[in-house]
Amino acid sequence: GDSVTQMEGPVTLSEEAFLTINCTYTATGYPSLFWYVQYPGEGLQLLLKATKADDKGSNKGFEATYRKETTSFHLEKGSVQVSDSAVYFCALSDRTGTASKLTFGTGTRLQVTL
Amino acid sequence: ETGVTQSPTHLIKTRGQQVTLRCSSQSGHNTVSWYQQALGQGPQFIFQYYREEENGRGNFPPRFSGLQFPNYSSELNVNALELDDSALYLCASSPGGGNNYGYTFGSGTRLTVV
């Protein structure tokens, strides 16, 4: 079945450091790929998405490129801020029967310090 | 536009009891999915509803059931609660299939079973 593997956290960075969170996936079809962010005590917010190979999703300084050849969708940001501290989930969307469902990784906690 | 709203936000139940969680989908979204997020884990797909019919289900037992109403709002019912049902329950809505559009999540209901 489908699966998503993320690098384990927590990741601790100083403000303005470069961020990479690795994500690889296994899927039988041609999934769409997503990054979601979860702030403490809240639900998930869509950060960015890519729907086909070589697409680059971007939002709020975060970027990720859909790499079909390496089955990866790594999240990057050039300069993190304290406000970026949260848990980041990589996910893929594929069909199970007639439904589209999200399969998530286990999440990577990011902590940014001054 | 309003987002996805869930109620209640927190709930404590006793093992063996039954619980109903509610979700109002985002305006214009006709598909609702439910996810269970255990502490420190990524969300797991429970089921999806489209036009008042269940059209996909994850690996959850039949005591997890749901409904979708004509206004696209939804309920998740869990019978015979077990301690392992303690989790954050997330509702997500999308305009049709979520593959290309992504999903909008609510803030969740935190269920504690004692």
mmCIF file of all heavy atoms in Angstrom, chain B residues 52-96:
data_model
loop_
_atom_site.group_PDB
_atom_site.id
_atom_site.type_symbol
_atom_site.label_atom_id
_atom_site.label_comp_id
_atom_site.label_asym_id
_atom_site.label_seq_id
_atom_site.Cartn_x
_atom_site.Cartn_y
_atom_site.Cartn_z
ATOM 1 N N GLU B 52 -23.549 12.161 0.637
ATOM 2 C CA GLU B 52 -24.238 11.409 1.686
ATOM 3 C C GLU B 52 -23.953 9.900 1.679
ATOM 4 O O GLU B 52 -24.601 9.153 2.426
ATOM 5 C CB GLU B 52 -25.747 11.655 1.614
ATOM 6 C CG GLU B 52 -26.126 13.117 1.714
ATOM 7 C CD GLU B 52 -27.603 13.365 1.566
ATOM 8 O OE1 GLU B 52 -28.392 12.768 2.323
ATOM 9 O OE2 GLU B 52 -27.983 14.164 0.671
ATOM 10 N N GLU B 53 -22.987 9.472 0.883
ATOM 11 C CA GLU B 53 -22.640 8.050 0.832
ATOM 12 C C GLU B 53 -21.183 7.866 1.253
ATOM 13 O O GLU B 53 -20.318 8.663 0.871
ATOM 14 C CB GLU B 53 -22.812 7.499 -0.585
ATOM 15 C CG GLU B 53 -24.220 7.558 -1.137
ATOM 16 C CD GLU B 53 -25.059 6.390 -0.678
ATOM 17 O OE1 GLU B 53 -24.484 5.341 -0.295
ATOM 18 O OE2 GLU B 53 -26.299 6.516 -0.672
ATOM 19 N N GLU B 54 -20.908 6.785 2.004
ATOM 20 C CA GLU B 54 -19.532 6.450 2.299
ATOM 21 C C GLU B 54 -18.897 5.893 1.028
ATOM 22 O O GLU B 54 -19.382 4.901 0.471
ATOM 23 C CB GLU B 54 -19.458 5.416 3.431
ATOM 24 C CG GLU B 54 -18.028 5.068 3.820
ATOM 25 C CD GLU B 54 -17.951 3.972 4.875
ATOM 26 O OE1 GLU B 54 -18.470 4.164 5.989
ATOM 27 O OE2 GLU B 54 -17.371 2.910 4.556
ATOM 28 N N ASN B 55 -17.799 6.482 0.593
ATOM 29 C CA ASN B 55 -17.186 6.022 -0.660
ATOM 30 C C ASN B 55 -15.738 5.586 -0.471
ATOM 31 O O ASN B 55 -15.006 5.435 -1.452
ATOM 32 C CB ASN B 55 -17.299 7.087 -1.758
ATOM 33 C CG ASN B 55 -16.405 8.275 -1.499
ATOM 34 O OD1 ASN B 55 -16.031 8.523 -0.366
ATOM 35 N ND2 ASN B 55 -16.066 9.009 -2.542
ATOM 36 N N GLY B 56 -15.331 5.358 0.755
ATOM 37 C CA GLY B 56 -13.985 4.851 1.007
ATOM 38 C C GLY B 56 -13.783 4.718 2.501
ATOM 39 O O GLY B 56 -14.318 5.519 3.279
ATOM 40 N N ARG B 57 -13.033 3.702 2.895
ATOM 41 C CA ARG B 57 -12.855 3.434 4.310
ATOM 42 C C ARG B 57 -11.440 2.941 4.565
ATOM 43 O O ARG B 57 -10.895 2.167 3.769
ATOM 44 C CB ARG B 57 -13.856 2.372 4.772
ATOM 45 C CG ARG B 57 -13.911 2.171 6.265
ATOM 46 C CD ARG B 57 -14.990 1.175 6.648
ATOM 47 N NE ARG B 57 -15.099 1.085 8.095
ATOM 48 C CZ ARG B 57 -15.928 1.805 8.824
ATOM 49 N NH1 ARG B 57 -16.764 2.651 8.244
ATOM 50 N NH2 ARG B 57 -15.962 1.675 10.139
ATOM 51 N N GLY B 58 -10.861 3.381 5.655
ATOM 52 C CA GLY B 58 -9.553 2.892 6.056
ATOM 53 C C GLY B 58 -9.687 1.666 6.932
ATOM 54 O O GLY B 58 -10.751 1.053 7.023
ATOM 55 N N ASN B 59 -8.618 1.315 7.607
ATOM 56 C CA ASN B 59 -8.564 0.096 8.398
ATOM 57 C C ASN B 59 -9.108 0.336 9.811
ATOM 58 O O ASN B 59 -8.379 0.251 10.797
ATOM 59 C CB ASN B 59 -7.124 -0.424 8.449
ATOM 60 C CG ASN B 59 -7.042 -1.801 9.058
ATOM 61 O OD1 ASN B 59 -8.005 -2.557 9.009
ATOM 62 N ND2 ASN B 59 -5.899 -2.106 9.644
ATOM 63 N N PHE B 60 -10.396 0.643 9.886
ATOM 64 C CA PHE B 60 -11.054 0.864 11.178
ATOM 65 C C PHE B 60 -12.249 -0.077 11.289
ATOM 66 O O PHE B 60 -12.912 -0.361 10.290
ATOM 67 C CB PHE B 60 -11.510 2.328 11.301
ATOM 68 C CG PHE B 60 -10.399 3.266 11.668
ATOM 69 C CD1 PHE B 60 -9.524 3.732 10.705
ATOM 70 C CD2 PHE B 60 -10.218 3.660 12.972
ATOM 71 C CE1 PHE B 60 -8.481 4.567 11.037
ATOM 72 C CE2 PHE B 60 -9.181 4.511 13.331
ATOM 73 C CZ PHE B 60 -8.308 4.962 12.357
ATOM 74 N N PRO B 61 -12.543 -0.558 12.516
ATOM 75 C CA PRO B 61 -13.635 -1.523 12.683
ATOM 76 C C PRO B 61 -14.999 -0.878 12.471
ATOM 77 O O PRO B 61 -15.130 0.358 12.493
ATOM 78 C CB PRO B 61 -13.455 -1.984 14.137
ATOM 79 C CG PRO B 61 -12.748 -0.859 14.806
ATOM 80 C CD PRO B 61 -11.841 -0.264 13.774
ATOM 81 N N PRO B 62 -16.037 -1.713 12.303
ATOM 82 C CA PRO B 62 -17.392 -1.205 12.021
ATOM 83 C C PRO B 62 -17.972 -0.339 13.136
ATOM 84 O O PRO B 62 -18.934 0.402 12.888
ATOM 85 C CB PRO B 62 -18.218 -2.491 11.852
ATOM 86 C CG PRO B 62 -17.229 -3.519 11.470
ATOM 87 C CD PRO B 62 -15.954 -3.173 12.186
ATOM 88 N N ARG B 63 -17.412 -0.399 14.344
ATOM 89 C CA ARG B 63 -17.962 0.460 15.406
ATOM 90 C C ARG B 63 -17.664 1.945 15.138
ATOM 91 O O ARG B 63 -18.203 2.800 15.834
ATOM 92 C CB ARG B 63 -17.443 0.012 16.783
ATOM 93 C CG ARG B 63 -15.954 0.025 16.943
ATOM 94 C CD ARG B 63 -15.525 -0.660 18.248
ATOM 95 N NE ARG B 63 -14.089 -0.505 18.445
ATOM 96 C CZ ARG B 63 -13.560 0.581 18.976
ATOM 97 N NH1 ARG B 63 -14.327 1.566 19.389
ATOM 98 N NH2 ARG B 63 -12.237 0.677 19.112
ATOM 99 N N PHE B 64 -16.830 2.205 14.159
ATOM 100 C CA PHE B 64 -16.642 3.568 13.664
ATOM 101 C C PHE B 64 -17.599 3.735 12.476
ATOM 102 O O PHE B 64 -17.464 3.023 11.463
ATOM 103 C CB PHE B 64 -15.211 3.811 13.193
ATOM 104 C CG PHE B 64 -14.216 3.971 14.293
ATOM 105 C CD1 PHE B 64 -13.722 2.866 14.967
ATOM 106 C CD2 PHE B 64 -13.750 5.228 14.657
ATOM 107 C CE1 PHE B 64 -12.797 3.008 15.994
ATOM 108 C CE2 PHE B 64 -12.818 5.375 15.671
ATOM 109 C CZ PHE B 64 -12.343 4.266 16.342
ATOM 110 N N SER B 65 -18.559 4.627 12.618
ATOM 111 C CA SER B 65 -19.510 4.838 11.540
ATOM 112 C C SER B 65 -19.737 6.331 11.369
ATOM 113 O O SER B 65 -19.357 7.140 12.229
ATOM 114 C CB SER B 65 -20.834 4.138 11.828
ATOM 115 O OG SER B 65 -21.435 4.684 12.992
ATOM 116 N N GLY B 66 -20.384 6.681 10.263
ATOM 117 C CA GLY B 66 -20.580 8.101 10.013
ATOM 118 C C GLY B 66 -21.832 8.390 9.227
ATOM 119 O O GLY B 66 -22.563 7.483 8.797
ATOM 120 N N LEU B 67 -22.071 9.676 9.069
ATOM 121 C CA LEU B 67 -23.190 10.167 8.273
ATOM 122 C C LEU B 67 -22.755 11.441 7.584
ATOM 123 O O LEU B 67 -21.929 12.198 8.117
ATOM 124 C CB LEU B 67 -24.389 10.502 9.155
ATOM 125 C CG LEU B 67 -25.226 9.391 9.761
ATOM 126 C CD1 LEU B 67 -26.229 9.987 10.745
ATOM 127 C CD2 LEU B 67 -25.955 8.627 8.668
ATOM 128 N N GLN B 68 -23.351 11.703 6.429
ATOM 129 C CA GLN B 68 -23.236 13.020 5.825
ATOM 130 C C GLN B 68 -24.637 13.504 5.513
ATOM 131 O O GLN B 68 -25.478 12.737 5.040
ATOM 132 C CB GLN B 68 -22.381 12.999 4.554
ATOM 133 C CG GLN B 68 -22.115 14.410 4.012
ATOM 134 C CD GLN B 68 -21.282 14.417 2.749
ATOM 135 O OE1 GLN B 68 -21.351 13.503 1.937
ATOM 136 N NE2 GLN B 68 -20.493 15.465 2.564
ATOM 137 N N PHE B 69 -24.873 14.769 5.751
ATOM 138 C CA PHE B 69 -26.207 15.341 5.585
ATOM 139 C C PHE B 69 -26.287 16.127 4.277
ATOM 140 O O PHE B 69 -25.260 16.428 3.655
ATOM 141 C CB PHE B 69 -26.518 16.227 6.792
ATOM 142 C CG PHE B 69 -26.492 15.472 8.101
ATOM 143 C CD1 PHE B 69 -25.369 15.509 8.914
ATOM 144 C CD2 PHE B 69 -27.566 14.687 8.491
ATOM 145 C CE1 PHE B 69 -25.325 14.793 10.094
ATOM 146 C CE2 PHE B 69 -27.534 13.965 9.665
ATOM 147 C CZ PHE B 69 -26.406 14.018 10.470
ATOM 148 N N PRO B 70 -27.521 16.464 3.848
ATOM 149 C CA PRO B 70 -27.664 17.187 2.563
ATOM 150 C C PRO B 70 -26.884 18.493 2.497
ATOM 151 O O PRO B 70 -26.520 18.941 1.411
ATOM 152 C CB PRO B 70 -29.176 17.429 2.473
ATOM 153 C CG PRO B 70 -29.783 16.312 3.249
ATOM 154 C CD PRO B 70 -28.836 16.065 4.394
ATOM 155 N N ASN B 71 -26.615 19.124 3.624
ATOM 156 C CA ASN B 71 -25.822 20.365 3.595
ATOM 157 C C ASN B 71 -24.318 20.071 3.665
ATOM 158 O O ASN B 71 -23.514 20.978 3.856
ATOM 159 C CB ASN B 71 -26.231 21.288 4.744
ATOM 160 C CG ASN B 71 -25.897 20.706 6.113
ATOM 161 O OD1 ASN B 71 -25.463 19.554 6.223
ATOM 162 N ND2 ASN B 71 -26.110 21.484 7.156
ATOM 163 N N TYR B 72 -23.953 18.788 3.528
ATOM 164 C CA TYR B 72 -22.571 18.284 3.489
ATOM 165 C C TYR B 72 -21.899 18.229 4.852
ATOM 166 O O TYR B 72 -20.754 17.782 4.934
ATOM 167 C CB TYR B 72 -21.692 19.061 2.506
ATOM 168 C CG TYR B 72 -22.258 19.110 1.107
ATOM 169 C CD1 TYR B 72 -22.355 20.312 0.408
ATOM 170 C CD2 TYR B 72 -22.712 17.949 0.491
ATOM 171 C CE1 TYR B 72 -22.883 20.349 -0.872
ATOM 172 C CE2 TYR B 72 -23.247 17.978 -0.790
ATOM 173 C CZ TYR B 72 -23.333 19.178 -1.462
ATOM 174 O OH TYR B 72 -23.859 19.216 -2.729
ATOM 175 N N SER B 73 -22.592 18.641 5.919
ATOM 176 C CA SER B 73 -22.011 18.441 7.244
ATOM 177 C C SER B 73 -21.974 16.944 7.550
ATOM 178 O O SER B 73 -22.608 16.136 6.834
ATOM 179 C CB SER B 73 -22.812 19.191 8.301
ATOM 180 O OG SER B 73 -24.111 18.644 8.410
ATOM 181 N N SER B 74 -21.231 16.577 8.580
ATOM 182 C CA SER B 74 -21.009 15.149 8.805
ATOM 183 C C SER B 74 -20.903 14.842 10.285
ATOM 184 O O SER B 74 -20.622 15.731 11.108
ATOM 185 C CB SER B 74 -19.734 14.723 8.090
ATOM 186 O OG SER B 74 -19.419 13.364 8.328
ATOM 187 N N GLU B 75 -21.162 13.604 10.627
ATOM 188 C CA GLU B 75 -20.968 13.088 11.977
ATOM 189 C C GLU B 75 -20.084 11.853 11.934
ATOM 190 O O GLU B 75 -20.150 11.074 10.975
ATOM 191 C CB GLU B 75 -22.308 12.687 12.614
ATOM 192 C CG GLU B 75 -23.192 13.829 13.009
ATOM 193 C CD GLU B 75 -24.481 13.348 13.672
ATOM 194 O OE1 GLU B 75 -24.723 12.121 13.725
ATOM 195 O OE2 GLU B 75 -25.245 14.213 14.118
ATOM 196 N N LEU B 76 -19.292 11.705 12.985
ATOM 197 C CA LEU B 76 -18.536 10.479 13.217
ATOM 198 C C LEU B 76 -19.063 9.880 14.514
ATOM 199 O O LEU B 76 -19.110 10.563 15.536
ATOM 200 C CB LEU B 76 -17.040 10.785 13.345
ATOM 201 C CG LEU B 76 -16.155 9.693 13.945
ATOM 202 C CD1 LEU B 76 -16.120 8.466 13.041
ATOM 203 C CD2 LEU B 76 -14.730 10.222 14.166
ATOM 204 N N ASN B 77 -19.475 8.630 14.468
ATOM 205 C CA ASN B 77 -19.962 7.922 15.643
ATOM 206 C C ASN B 77 -19.004 6.785 15.980
ATOM 207 O O ASN B 77 -18.570 6.058 15.084
ATOM 208 C CB ASN B 77 -21.353 7.344 15.387
ATOM 209 C CG ASN B 77 -22.363 8.419 15.063
ATOM 210 O OD1 ASN B 77 -22.747 9.199 15.921
ATOM 211 N ND2 ASN B 77 -22.780 8.487 13.811
ATOM 212 N N VAL B 78 -18.691 6.656 17.245
ATOM 213 C CA VAL B 78 -17.869 5.547 17.693
ATOM 214 C C VAL B 78 -18.603 4.853 18.837
ATOM 215 O O VAL B 78 -18.938 5.469 19.843
ATOM 216 C CB VAL B 78 -16.480 5.997 18.176
ATOM 217 C CG1 VAL B 78 -15.606 4.779 18.470
ATOM 218 C CG2 VAL B 78 -15.804 6.894 17.149
ATOM 219 N N ASN B 79 -18.877 3.563 18.642
ATOM 220 C CA ASN B 79 -19.550 2.759 19.668
ATOM 221 C C ASN B 79 -18.532 1.980 20.484
ATOM 222 O O ASN B 79 -17.398 1.760 20.043
ATOM 223 C CB ASN B 79 -20.511 1.771 19.005
ATOM 224 C CG ASN B 79 -21.665 2.471 18.335
ATOM 225 O OD1 ASN B 79 -22.184 3.466 18.849
ATOM 226 N ND2 ASN B 79 -22.071 1.977 17.180
ATOM 227 N N ALA B 80 -18.959 1.552 21.670
ATOM 228 C CA ALA B 80 -18.141 0.670 22.519
ATOM 229 C C ALA B 80 -16.709 1.196 22.621
ATOM 230 O O ALA B 80 -15.751 0.517 22.247
ATOM 231 C CB ALA B 80 -18.164 -0.749 21.961
ATOM 232 N N LEU B 81 -16.571 2.409 23.115
ATOM 233 C CA LEU B 81 -15.277 3.067 23.157
ATOM 234 C C LEU B 81 -14.233 2.242 23.896
ATOM 235 O O LEU B 81 -14.509 1.624 24.938
ATOM 236 C CB LEU B 81 -15.413 4.437 23.828
ATOM 237 C CG LEU B 81 -16.026 5.526 22.961
ATOM 238 C CD1 LEU B 81 -16.422 6.725 23.812
ATOM 239 C CD2 LEU B 81 -15.074 5.934 21.856
ATOM 240 N N GLU B 82 -13.030 2.271 23.350
ATOM 241 C CA GLU B 82 -11.884 1.613 23.968
ATOM 242 C C GLU B 82 -10.842 2.672 24.330
ATOM 243 O O GLU B 82 -10.839 3.770 23.763
ATOM 244 C CB GLU B 82 -11.284 0.597 22.991
ATOM 245 C CG GLU B 82 -12.261 -0.479 22.563
ATOM 246 C CD GLU B 82 -11.686 -1.439 21.541
ATOM 247 O OE1 GLU B 82 -10.508 -1.248 21.151
ATOM 248 O OE2 GLU B 82 -12.405 -2.364 21.129
ATOM 249 N N LEU B 83 -9.958 2.316 25.242
ATOM 250 C CA LEU B 83 -8.941 3.273 25.675
ATOM 251 C C LEU B 83 -8.106 3.762 24.492
ATOM 252 O O LEU B 83 -7.735 4.942 24.422
ATOM 253 C CB LEU B 83 -8.037 2.644 26.737
ATOM 254 C CG LEU B 83 -8.701 2.250 28.044
ATOM 255 C CD1 LEU B 83 -7.682 1.623 28.991
ATOM 256 C CD2 LEU B 83 -9.376 3.438 28.708
ATOM 257 N N ASP B 84 -7.829 2.876 23.534
ATOM 258 C CA ASP B 84 -7.011 3.234 22.372
ATOM 259 C C ASP B 84 -7.715 4.187 21.412
ATOM 260 O O ASP B 84 -7.090 4.670 20.468
ATOM 261 C CB ASP B 84 -6.594 1.975 21.596
ATOM 262 C CG ASP B 84 -5.486 1.224 22.316
ATOM 263 O OD1 ASP B 84 -4.916 1.782 23.277
ATOM 264 O OD2 ASP B 84 -5.197 0.081 21.924
ATOM 265 N N ASP B 85 -8.983 4.442 21.646
ATOM 266 C CA ASP B 85 -9.692 5.417 20.803
ATOM 267 C C ASP B 85 -9.355 6.841 21.208
ATOM 268 O O ASP B 85 -9.743 7.798 20.516
ATOM 269 C CB ASP B 85 -11.206 5.210 20.892
ATOM 270 C CG ASP B 85 -11.647 3.863 20.340
ATOM 271 O OD1 ASP B 85 -10.942 3.322 19.460
ATOM 272 O OD2 ASP B 85 -12.695 3.360 20.789
ATOM 273 N N SER B 86 -8.657 7.018 22.297
ATOM 274 C CA SER B 86 -8.225 8.349 22.722
ATOM 275 C C SER B 86 -7.304 8.936 21.654
ATOM 276 O O SER B 86 -6.261 8.350 21.335
ATOM 277 C CB SER B 86 -7.482 8.268 24.058
ATOM 278 O OG SER B 86 -8.335 7.834 25.092
ATOM 279 N N ALA B 87 -7.705 10.082 21.114
ATOM 280 C CA ALA B 87 -6.955 10.669 19.995
ATOM 281 C C ALA B 87 -7.571 12.013 19.637
ATOM 282 O O ALA B 87 -8.614 12.396 20.170
ATOM 283 C CB ALA B 87 -6.990 9.746 18.771
ATOM 284 N N LEU B 88 -6.921 12.693 18.700
ATOM 285 C CA LEU B 88 -7.488 13.887 18.077
ATOM 286 C C LEU B 88 -8.196 13.429 16.804
ATOM 287 O O LEU B 88 -7.590 12.766 15.958
ATOM 288 C CB LEU B 88 -6.384 14.890 17.741
ATOM 289 C CG LEU B 88 -6.813 16.203 17.091
ATOM 290 C CD1 LEU B 88 -7.628 17.054 18.060
ATOM 291 C CD2 LEU B 88 -5.589 16.979 16.602
ATOM 292 N N TYR B 89 -9.467 13.759 16.668
ATOM 293 C CA TYR B 89 -10.237 13.385 15.486
ATOM 294 C C TYR B 89 -10.392 14.609 14.602
ATOM 295 O O TYR B 89 -10.926 15.633 15.028
ATOM 296 C CB TYR B 89 -11.589 12.797 15.875
ATOM 297 C CG TYR B 89 -11.424 11.419 16.479
ATOM 298 C CD1 TYR B 89 -11.130 11.268 17.824
ATOM 299 C CD2 TYR B 89 -11.495 10.279 15.683
ATOM 300 C CE1 TYR B 89 -10.919 10.006 18.375
ATOM 301 C CE2 TYR B 89 -11.288 9.020 16.214
ATOM 302 C CZ TYR B 89 -11.003 8.897 17.562
ATOM 303 O OH TYR B 89 -10.782 7.649 18.092
ATOM 304 N N LEU B 90 -9.916 14.471 13.391
ATOM 305 C CA LEU B 90 -9.888 15.579 12.446
ATOM 306 C C LEU B 90 -10.869 15.337 11.316
ATOM 307 O O LEU B 90 -10.950 14.236 10.772
ATOM 308 C CB LEU B 90 -8.483 15.730 11.869
ATOM 309 C CG LEU B 90 -7.391 16.129 12.858
ATOM 310 C CD1 LEU B 90 -6.018 15.906 12.255
ATOM 311 C CD2 LEU B 90 -7.552 17.586 13.263
ATOM 312 N N CYS B 91 -11.570 16.380 10.969
ATOM 313 C CA CYS B 91 -12.464 16.367 9.821
ATOM 314 C C CYS B 91 -11.806 17.213 8.729
ATOM 315 O O CYS B 91 -11.210 18.263 9.019
ATOM 316 C CB CYS B 91 -13.807 16.949 10.228
ATOM 317 S SG CYS B 91 -14.963 17.211 8.884
ATOM 318 N N ALA B 92 -11.916 16.761 7.497
ATOM 319 C CA ALA B 92 -11.355 17.505 6.374
ATOM 320 C C ALA B 92 -12.373 17.551 5.248
ATOM 321 O O ALA B 92 -13.048 16.548 4.974
ATOM 322 C CB ALA B 92 -10.074 16.847 5.876
ATOM 323 N N SER B 93 -12.499 18.688 4.600
ATOM 324 C CA SER B 93 -13.421 18.779 3.471
ATOM 325 C C SER B 93 -12.669 19.191 2.216
ATOM 326 O O SER B 93 -11.583 19.789 2.282
ATOM 327 C CB SER B 93 -14.557 19.762 3.771
ATOM 328 O OG SER B 93 -14.102 21.099 3.770
ATOM 329 N N SER B 94 -13.253 18.848 1.088
ATOM 330 C CA SER B 94 -12.645 19.202 -0.189
ATOM 331 C C SER B 94 -13.745 19.369 -1.232
ATOM 332 O O SER B 94 -14.837 18.803 -1.083
ATOM 333 C CB SER B 94 -11.641 18.139 -0.622
ATOM 334 O OG SER B 94 -12.273 16.893 -0.818
ATOM 335 N N PRO B 95 -13.474 20.115 -2.300
ATOM 336 C CA PRO B 95 -14.457 20.273 -3.371
ATOM 337 C C PRO B 95 -14.349 19.117 -4.346
ATOM 338 O O PRO B 95 -13.596 19.164 -5.304
ATOM 339 C CB PRO B 95 -14.048 21.597 -4.026
ATOM 340 C CG PRO B 95 -12.583 21.691 -3.782
ATOM 341 C CD PRO B 95 -12.294 20.957 -2.503
ATOM 342 N N GLY B 96 -15.044 18.039 -4.110
ATOM 343 C CA GLY B 96 -14.885 16.855 -4.923
ATOM 344 C C GLY B 96 -13.630 16.123 -4.480
ATOM 345 O O GLY B 96 -13.242 16.192 -3.326
#
